[in-house]
Amino acid sequence: MCIASLFKKAGKCESKYLARLINKKLYLGIPSASIVDVISRYVNTPSTLLLQAVQIQGLTQTLLVAKNRQLLQKLQIHPLKFVQPQLATILQVDRIEYPVWCEPKYDGSRVQIHKFNNTIKIYSRRGIDKTHSYPEIVDIARQFKSNSCIVDAEVIGIQDDRIVPFQELLHRTGKSSVDDITSEDITLSIRAFDVLYHQQSLLTFSLENRLQILHSIVPTQYLVQGKRCNSLTEVMEYYDSLINIGYEGIMVKTLSSKYYPNRRHRSWMKLKPTRDSIDAVIVKAKYGHGDLSGMYASFRLAIRHDTKKKLYEIGDVGGISRNALEQLYHLLEPLVIKRDKEGARVKPQIVVEVCFQEILKSKRYSSGYALRNPKLLRLRLDKSVDDIDTINKIKQMYESK
C-alpha cells in the first residue's frame, strides 16, 4: 500500500524513476567515472584512488567511505577475498584494438579460483563460495605453481573425452544445478583464461603479461588455448573454425588492456551465432552525406519467412568502413530496382552477417522487430537469400533474451 500511494502522488517523470529505483535499474546514463570525479572534488580525495576502489568493491561501497583516504589506500585485492569479475560486451568490429587475443567461448560456469598457501576457495561469478561443490577443481588448484594467486576460469564437464555443454549436462543427468553433479555423472575440469593476482595484484598489467604469468602457473591441460589475431579477417576465420568444431562462440580481447573488475568493458568482446548475430539480406541502399556523399552509407536489412518467399525488414546497418562501402557499392549498383531521395531499392541478393546488442520490439519495420546497435561483421557472398535467418528465429531470440 505504501508503494502504491507513492505512485499516486508521483508525477509522470517521478513515476518512471520510482519504478526504475524499485527494479534497481535507474539507467541515468551517467558514467561512474563522472560521479567519482565530482565526489573526489567534494571530499578532497584523489579520483584515481576512488576509481581503484570502485573497481574492487563497487561504486556504492566506495562512496560510503569516500572520505577515508587511509582505508582506500589499504584497499587492495588479495587471495581469499572475492573480486567482482570483468564482463564482456557484444562484439563491435569498429572498436576492436589490434592485436587481440581470441579464444573459444565455452558453455560452462565461470568461477574465480583463490589459492593462498594450502587454503583454496572457489567463488561463482556472483561471489558465492562454491568450494565444497567443486572438490575436483580444488584438486586442480593444488597443482598451480603459485602459493598466492587468483585465477579466472570456466568450469566445464567432460564425458567420454568430449566437453559436454552445460545445459545438456544438467538435462542429461537430471540435476537442477551443478552442485548436484557427482563424479559418477561427469568429470569436472577447468579452462583458465586470466589471472588477477600472483604474489601481487595484476589488475594494471596488460593482458599479454597476465597470460604469460597464467601460463607459467597453471598446467597446460587446464588452460584455454587461443590465437593472436591482427585483423578482422583473422578473427572471423578463427571464429568460423571454432563454431565448426562445436564451440558456442568466440572471445576477442585487447592484448594491451588491463583488467577491469566489476565492469562490462569493450577490451573483452564476445560473439555467439545463436544469440549475437544474424544473416540478413540487403533490400535498400541509402545515400551518405558529407564525406560519404555519392556513396551508399547505410543499408536496410531483411530476414525471411520460414516457408514462404516473403521478406521482413528488420533495420538499417551503418558505420561501415570506406573500403567495405566501396565494395558494397559495386555489388549493389547492378541490382538497383528503383531509386528515391533516400537511396535505391535493390534485388535481395547480397547477404551480410551483422552483430547487435539486442533485439527490440518495433512497429517501424515489417518484421515487428529491430536490431539495437547493429554492426556489419562481414559479407556472406557464399550465401543466398534462402540461407538468411527467419522471422521465427528472431522471435525465439527475442523471447530467450
Side-chain angles (χ1 to χ4, degrees):
M1 290 299 292
C2 180
I3 293 176
S5 65
L6 283 174
F7 276 105
K8 286 181 180 179
K9 295 177 180 179
K12 185 177 179 180
C13 184
E14 293 169 328
S15 296
K16 178 175 72 172
Y17 286 104
L18 180 59
R20 290 181 178 182
L21 183 62
I22 292 170
N23 286 299
K24 298 182 179 179
K25 294 180 179 179
L26 277 174
Y27 297 127
L28 293 177
I30 304 173
S32 59
S34 298
I35 298 174
V36 167
D37 187 52
V38 172
I39 297 298
S40 72
R41 297 179 191 179
Y42 178 72
V43 299
N44 195 29
T45 299
S47 59
T48 52
L49 196 59
L50 288 173
L51 281 171
Q52 175 184 278
V54 169
Q55 289 183 340
I56 295 173
Q57 63 178 15
L59 180 61
T60 303
Q61 291 298 318
T62 299
L63 295 182
L64 291 174
V65 295
K67 290 184 179 181
N68 194 333
R69 189 179 297 195
Q70 284 188 330
L71 180 61
L72 292 172
Q73 288 173 335
K74 293 178 181 178
L75 193 61
Q76 296 287 338
I77 69 166
H78 55 78
L80 310 185
K81 182 180 178 182
F82 176 69
V83 181
Q84 293 288 342
Q86 177 173 341
L87 302 175
T89 65
I90 302 300
L91 182 70
Q92 298 181 59
V93 294
D94 56 339
R95 306 196 78 170
I96 300 176
E97 296 179 23
Y98 298 102
V100 291
W101 178 253
C102 297
E103 58 194 26
K105 190 173 191 317
Y106 287 89
D107 187 6
S109 180
R110 188 173 178 180
V111 293
Q112 198 174 94
I113 303 171
H114 291 236
K115 182 180 181 183
F116 186 70
N117 295 329
N118 292 323
T119 303
I120 293 170
K121 290 284 185 181
I122 300 172
Y123 297 98
S124 72
R125 62 177 292 169
R126 291 183 173 84
I128 300 170
D129 189 340
K130 294 286 186 179
T131 308
H132 296 296
S133 301
Y134 294 122
E136 292 160 301
I137 309 307
V138 171
D139 290 339
I140 291 171
R142 296 196 188 284
Q143 301 176 44
F144 292 174
K145 298 174 184 176
S146 173
N147 60 6
S148 182
C149 64
I150 302 174
V151 170
D152 220 343
E154 195 88 4
V155 174
I156 57 172
I158 299 177
Q159 190 172 56
D160 299 328
D161 294 325
R162 75 180 185 93
I163 297 174
V164 180
F166 226 60
Q167 290 304 314
E168 179 187 335
L169 182 157
L170 298 179
H171 173 73
R172 288 170 60 185
T173 56
K175 309 301 184 183
S176 59
S177 74
V178 68
D179 298 354
D180 300 323
I181 298 170
T182 67
S183 57
E184 293 151 7
D185 300 315
I186 209 83
T187 299
L188 294 182
S189 187
I190 64 164
R191 293 296 180 265
F193 56 83
D194 211 330
V195 57
L196 286 64
Y197 190 99
H198 172 56
Q199 313 302 341
Q200 62 176 321
S201 171
L202 304 178
L203 297 183
T204 59
F205 284 46
S206 69
L207 173 61
E208 190 156 27
N209 288 340
R210 297 200 310 273
L211 287 174
Q212 291 173 355
I213 295 169
L214 179 71
H215 285 232
S216 72
I217 65 176
V218 176
T220 303
Q221 65 267 35
Y222 302 122
L223 291 169
V224 170
Q225 300 299 324
K227 180 182 179 181
R228 184 188 183 103
C229 294
N230 295 294
S231 68
L232 182 60
T233 300
E234 290 183 20
V235 170
M236 297 311 295
E237 286 177 352
Y238 186 51
Y239 167 73
D240 285 337
S241 71
L242 293 176
I243 298 303
N244 289 338
I245 57 178
Y247 288 105
E248 73 164 6
I250 192 174
M251 297 293 298
V252 180
K253 302 178 179 180
T254 306
L255 275 166
S256 61
S257 66
K258 63 182 183 180
Y259 192 97
Y260 295 90
N262 200 31
R263 285 182 65 183
R264 192 176 292 280
H265 196 272
R266 68 174 183 270
S267 60
W268 287 13
M269 299 188 193
K270 61 183 177 180
L271 181 64
K272 293 168 61 176
T274 58
R275 203 177 78 179
D276 305 325
S277 70
I278 62 168
D279 290 329
V281 69
I282 296 174
V283 293
K284 185 173 185 177
K286 295 185 176 182
Y287 298 129
H289 304 282
D291 291 342
L292 297 178
S293 294
M295 298 181 67
Y296 297 133
S298 63
F299 305 89
R300 178 65 52 87
L301 305 176
I303 51 177
R304 67 179 177 86
H305 190 279
D306 287 72
T307 55
K308 301 176 184 177
K309 287 195 172 183
K310 185 175 181 180
L311 297 176
Y312 301 93
E313 294 183 352
I314 195 168
D316 296 344
V317 63
I320 300 168
S321 70
R322 183 172 286 271
N323 287 341
L325 289 177
E326 290 175 355
Q327 184 180 6
L328 282 167
Y329 181 86
H330 293 299
L331 288 170
L332 292 169
E333 270 298 288
L335 304 177
V336 172
I337 300 171
K338 182 182 178 181
R339 299 184 189 275
D340 57 29
K341 290 182 179 180
E342 281 192 327
R345 282 278 169 186
V346 297
K347 294 178 183 178
Q349 292 184 14
I350 304 302
V351 176
V352 294
E353 184 177 359
V354 293
C355 58
F356 48 87
Q357 295 292 323
E358 63 178 323
I359 295 174
L360 306 170
K361 282 276 192 181
S362 174
K363 294 181 180 180
R364 184 177 179 182
Y365 305 110
S366 57
S367 64
Y369 298 96
L371 304 177
R372 178 177 166 231
N373 196 24
K375 298 290 183 182
L376 178 68
L377 274 176
R378 54 182 167 172
L379 299 179
R380 295 308 304 259
L381 301 180
D382 57 323
K383 293 189 175 185
S384 72
V385 68
D386 295 327
D387 300 315
I388 66 175
D389 285 309
T390 66
I391 186 69
N392 271 347
K393 178 182 176 181
I394 300 301
K395 182 180 179 182
Q396 291 169 3
M397 293 171 77
Y398 174 79
E399 292 175 346
S400 67
K401 70 177 182 178

